[in-house]
Amino acid sequence: MTNIDVELVDVTKRFGDFEAVKNISLQIQQGEFFSLLGPSGCGKTTNLRMIAGFELPSEGEIYLKGQPVGQLPPFKRNVNTVFQNYALFPHMTIADNVGFGLEMKKLPKAEVKQRVNDTLELVRLPNLGERKPRQLSGGQQQRVALARALVNRPDVLLLDEPLSALDLKLRKAMQLELKELQNKLGITFIFVTHDQEEAMTMSDRIAVMDHGVVLQVGTPTEIYENPATRFVADFIGETNFLPCTVVGCDNGIATVRLGEIAQINAACDAQLPAGQEATVIIRPEKINIHPTRPDDATADTIFAGKVAESVYIGTDTRFAVTLADNATVNVRHQNVSVDDPLTHVRAGDTVYLSWQSAAARVLTA
Amino acid sequence: MAVQQQVQRGPAARAQSQTHPPRKAGSRLLTWGNRLLWANMIFSFVFLYLPIVVLVAFSFNDSRLAARWSGFTLKWYGLMFTSEAVLTAFWNSLVVAVVSTVISTILGTMTAIGMERFRFPFRKTYDGILYLPVIVPDIVMGVSLLAFFALALDVINSSFNLTGDSTLRAGLGTVIIAHVAFNISFVAIVVRTSLRDFNKALEEAAMDLGANEWTTFRRVTLPLIMPGILGGALLAFTLSLDDFVITFFTTGPGATTLPIEVFGRIRRAIGPDINAISTVMLVMSIGLVVLSQILQRRSSN
């Protein structure tokens, strides 16, 4: 248990009648890059603000390094925050901004100066100490905000959508830089974002939230390949949803009926009762598309369909294929070969779709 | 008329005029609009500033009669600075303005922070009451303060058995209290505006970095709302300096402020000496405005 940095136990936060966070329990390991991912208003920022101490939980307890801190004010917690719009003090120089936390700890002036310079160098902003925040670009302000938090050597660094104000190219560069910095320092990062790609790029583990509830916690691969709910599947990446009825379920493989079309097999986590209404999900890139009926021994699910639309976007071609019962399936076909017969497929043509039954999953939530 | 002419002029003329048909009427409107705008501006400036120009000019007039120019002189200014009554009134005004500004700025800033940052019962009611001194007519305020002070002084004097020289009377003290009473509202309103624009994340950032509430206020909040506080203080100072009505009702014998002194002199005769006093007050007010601008610009840098 000693290597758990942050633990939330049954934490609930209410604002009046509104429950922003509902009974959340999380364990975040020491040195982990942990993301809270979800749409705006899902409670991820409230969660972060409770760990920082800006909001106090209505119920439950928060532990930092095993110590309960739920009701402590922010200045008594060894965590630091990088704010969404940086929140740099406009009336202080960059050096004073970065040194503020150390000054509060009443460290000797020489040490403060040394550590401020070291940290500014760490975020690659040397020689800017005498400037004021508004003389810096957005990307530079971002680095100052990072330096101001890191200089205190916190147990945990909290980041509240810190990259959302940057342009795409800078954001991509900062994502890698943040990850690199975290590896180097070994500090636990808790990162709030609504950008699934950002979360996937950087995180060791992700907690997907919606309406104040944590729907799933897992590595990026687990969350993408094995989403726990329809919401997770839909929020992260692109997915086809096919309504179905469970026929039977045995040892992680369910047999389901897809409307009037067919009976297929798909992976499932829990034992599902026969007759239950459910959803089969399958990612567009996991479907193979063929101009003629394939002779594919590994693909045990094969459907015929009519192309409703095909969009060529360079690296791959996206097809929308209408199946027999009017369900539309999106397919992503990688343009690997030079003379691919699928490039000649037009709307209205008949094609065949196939996939491995393990690539499809049955979800009930 | 215009349409008829167009028809008579034939196809060529029509084609030409069709390329800019609304232009003529539009530009005529524009010129008229422009002229009206200019006229409005000139009229406003004359209306606002001509009396002041006349006042300043005639303070240099070498004639007792207000309406006739008979040469340049500085004697009224000299007379003013040698008149003990004027100097005393001037000094009283300054004392009242400085003391009431300091007190009302502190109380008003505290009120603004309380109103803006805390939730408490009857907050809305208190909010309404806070704005009352701004909208209540001065005369009502003056009369009510007069009644209040009469009662309060009477209660204090009788309960502490104050008689003779130690009796508490209306004077500069009551004037200062009255000025504080109406200035708190003005300061609070100005400071609240700057608190409302204040980015609360800055306070959270300070606390996140280990500053407690008081240090956060002193190091982050206060420096950033300082322009608002200074603005409120200068407003309070000018309001106090030129208040007549409320001062008139709350002052006592021997505690004459400059506006009261001016009023007393005018009742006898409008002389150039009053023009000189008014000009000095005008210059002071302008100086304060300029000073506040400089201070605000410096703090925003």
Side-chain angles (χ1 to χ4, degrees):
Chain A
M1 285 299 276
T2 47
N3 59 351
I4 289 175
D5 249 5
V6 181
E7 187 173 10
L8 277 70
V9 180
D10 300 330
V11 170
T12 295
K13 177 66 188 178
R14 277 183 290 268
F15 296 104
D17 290 338
F18 175 68
E19 278 197 328
V21 167
K22 295 171 191 161
N23 202 30
I24 282 185
S25 293
L26 283 175
Q27 290 188 334
I28 297 159
Q29 313 280 329
Q30 205 277 317
E32 194 172 25
F33 198 120
F34 191 91
S35 290
L36 295 166
L37 174 65
S40 57
C42 74
K44 56 189 192 296
T45 296
T46 305
N47 217 348
L48 192 82
R49 290 171 60 79
M50 283 194 286
I51 300 172
F54 304 137
E55 309 286 354
L56 302 180
S58 313
E59 280 166 36
E61 186 57 270
I62 297 169
Y63 297 90
L64 280 180
K65 296 237 179 243
Q67 298 298 312
V69 296
Q71 303 298 320
L72 290 183
F75 49 89
K76 288 188 177 156
R77 303 182 186 200
N78 195 18
V79 297
N80 287 112
T81 308
V82 177
F83 291 84
Q84 187 166 15
N85 294 312
Y86 320 137
L88 300 177
F89 307 127
H91 58 301
M92 296 184 199
T93 64
I94 299 307
D96 288 345
N97 263 281
V98 177
F100 191 86
L102 300 178
E103 194 192 323
M104 290 302 122
K105 287 181 184 159
K106 300 196 164 51
L107 293 186
K109 279 218 164 70
E111 192 188 339
V112 172
K113 200 175 171 195
Q114 185 59 45
R115 270 170 73 173
V116 166
N117 286 341
D118 289 352
T119 314
L120 282 175
E121 212 151 301
L122 181 75
V123 298
R124 299 192 208 151
L125 279 184
N127 312 321
L128 288 182
E130 292 316 306
R131 306 238 188 126
K132 288 283 180 73
R134 61 195 168 91
Q135 293 170 292
L136 267 54
S137 70
Q140 288 173 322
Q141 290 185 28
Q142 162 71 71
R143 284 155 197 269
V144 173
L146 200 58
R148 187 177 67 175
L150 285 174
V151 76
N152 305 292
R153 297 176 189 152
D155 293 334
V156 181
L157 185 72
L158 308 173
L159 302 106
D160 184 9
E161 307 223 14
L163 307 181
S164 60
L166 303 179
D167 63 60
L168 185 67
K169 207 173 161 190
L170 200 55
R171 194 156 71 225
K172 296 265 182 220
M174 277 306 287
Q175 286 174 5
L176 297 176
E177 210 169 308
L178 266 182
K179 182 72 192 156
E180 207 180 286
L181 206 59
Q182 194 254 348
N183 279 335
K184 191 151 83 182
L185 300 170
I187 293 176
T188 309
F189 277 34
I190 302 180
F191 189 91
V192 162
T193 182
H194 64 268
D195 182 339
Q196 44 119 352
E197 208 180 311
E198 198 166 272
M200 299 283 271
T201 310
M202 295 192 283
S203 317
D204 296 320
R205 285 196 304 152
I206 299 171
V208 183
M209 291 184 66
D210 188 39
H211 289 106
V213 177
V214 172
L215 298 171
Q216 188 173 8
V217 182
T219 64
T221 320
E222 281 167 4
I223 284 183
Y224 186 79
E225 299 294 344
N226 201 353
T229 70
R230 282 187 56 140
F231 179 86
V232 176
D234 196 26
F235 192 72
I236 300 183
E238 200 187 328
T239 311
N240 291 299
F241 296 96
L242 301 168
C244 67
T245 315
V246 176
V247 175
C249 181
D250 182 35
N251 214 7
I253 299 195
T255 307
V256 296
R257 171 160 285 282
L258 289 180
E260 299 299 308
I261 330 170
Q263 193 157 305
I264 64 163
N265 289 335
C268 69
D269 283 334
Q271 196 65 33
L272 302 172
Q276 178 165 6
E277 300 291 317
T279 309
V280 169
I281 59 158
I282 175 100
R283 300 281 186 190
E285 75 277 9
K286 293 206 163 54
I287 302 175
N288 294 311
I289 182 166
H290 317 271
T292 55
R293 180 168 278 276
D295 188 19
D296 189 348
T298 59
D300 37 22
T301 307
I302 299 176
F303 285 113
K306 271 199 164 50
V307 173
E309 192 184 32
S310 82
V311 182
Y312 174 81
I313 55 163
T315 55
D316 48 40
T317 307
R318 283 165 194 192
F319 295 95
V321 178
T322 310
L323 303 182
D325 69 343
N326 284 331
T328 298
V329 174
N330 291 315
V331 182
R332 193 179 282 196
H333 174 73
Q334 261 210 309
N335 295 324
V336 181
S337 54
V338 183
D339 51 350
D340 195 329
L342 281 164
T343 45
H344 306 300
V345 167
R346 295 283 171 268
D349 291 354
T350 299
V351 288
Y352 294 88
L353 306 181
S354 69
W355 64 78
Q356 296 172 19
S357 52
R361 302 190 60 81
V362 181
L363 297 178
T364 51
Chain B
M1 260 294 263
V3 176
Q4 272 181 348
Q5 279 176 353
Q6 239 174 42
V7 172
Q8 284 165 357
R9 266 189 278 152
R14 193 152 60 232
Q16 200 181 15
S17 64
Q18 264 166 0
T19 48
H20 327 271
R23 173 85 181 268
K24 209 170 179 185
S27 64
R28 191 181 298 152
L29 262 178
L30 206 71
T31 14
W32 266 108
N34 258 337
R35 279 180 201 158
L36 274 171
L37 211 63
W38 273 99
N40 175 54
M41 194 187 77
I42 291 164
F43 184 74
S44 305
F45 273 116
V46 167
F47 195 71
L48 278 172
Y49 293 113
L50 193 62
I52 296 176
V53 172
V54 169
L55 168 91
V56 175
F58 275 84
S59 72
F60 299 108
N61 188 8
D62 191 14
S63 160
R64 264 243 150 254
L65 296 167
R68 185 173 297 161
W69 180 263
S70 57
F72 182 87
T73 180
L74 284 172
K75 73 175 173 196
W76 306 116
Y77 287 90
L79 212 65
M80 181 183 90
F81 286 114
T82 50
S83 153
E84 193 161 336
V86 170
L87 287 178
T88 309
F90 184 78
W91 176 249
N92 285 343
S93 271
L94 218 55
V95 168
V96 167
V98 168
V99 175
S100 71
T101 297
V102 169
I103 297 173
S104 60
T105 300
I106 293 168
L107 291 179
T109 302
M110 284 163 72
T111 308
I113 291 168
M115 299 295 296
E116 203 55 33
R117 290 301 162 83
F118 296 99
R119 297 286 169 272
F120 47 87
F122 303 112
R123 188 174 158 272
K124 282 251 156 70
T125 318
Y126 190 67
D127 200 11
I129 293 170
L130 184 66
Y131 283 82
L132 267 183
V134 180
I135 48 171
V136 165
D138 278 3
I139 184 88
V140 175
M141 232 163 115
V143 171
S144 57
L145 281 163
L146 173 68
F148 168 75
F149 284 132
L151 182 72
L153 291 172
D154 191 44
V155 168
I156 293 169
N157 284 330
S158 57
S159 49
F160 291 97
N161 279 324
L162 301 172
T163 47
D165 280 353
S166 58
T167 317
L168 283 182
R169 290 192 181 85
L172 284 189
T174 47
V175 173
I176 288 170
I177 293 171
H179 283 203
V180 168
F182 70 78
N183 271 336
I184 285 178
S185 300
F186 287 97
V187 174
I189 289 164
V190 175
V191 175
R192 267 182 90 169
T193 327
S194 62
L195 273 171
R196 210 166 289 155
D197 299 337
F198 187 84
N199 178 8
K200 273 192 181 170
L202 294 174
E203 287 174 348
E204 289 183 344
M207 290 207 217
D208 187 71
L209 294 166
N212 60 26
E213 288 91 345
W214 169 243
T215 312
T216 300
F217 177 74
R218 197 170 50 83
R219 294 288 308 273
V220 176
T221 317
L222 195 61
L224 290 173
I225 62 168
M226 205 35 117
I229 296 176
L230 284 178
L234 282 160
L235 181 64
F237 192 82
T238 37
L239 286 175
S240 174
L241 204 61
D242 71 13
D243 176 76
F244 172 75
V245 178
I246 292 168
T247 312
F248 185 77
F249 280 95
T250 53
T251 192
T256 306
T257 62
L258 206 52
I260 306 252
E261 174 68 25
V262 169
F263 180 71
R265 282 167 181 253
I266 270 178
R267 281 205 296 188
R268 277 171 259 140
I270 306 174
D273 52 339
I274 292 186
N275 293 342
I277 297 170
S278 304
T279 303
V280 169
M281 283 179 81
L282 180 74
V283 169
M284 274 180 62
S285 300
I286 293 172
L288 282 175
V289 170
V290 171
L291 184 72
S292 79
Q293 295 285 327
I294 291 170
L295 283 175
Q296 283 192 25
R297 197 160 300 165
R298 191 174 293 170
S299 72
S300 69
N301 276 340

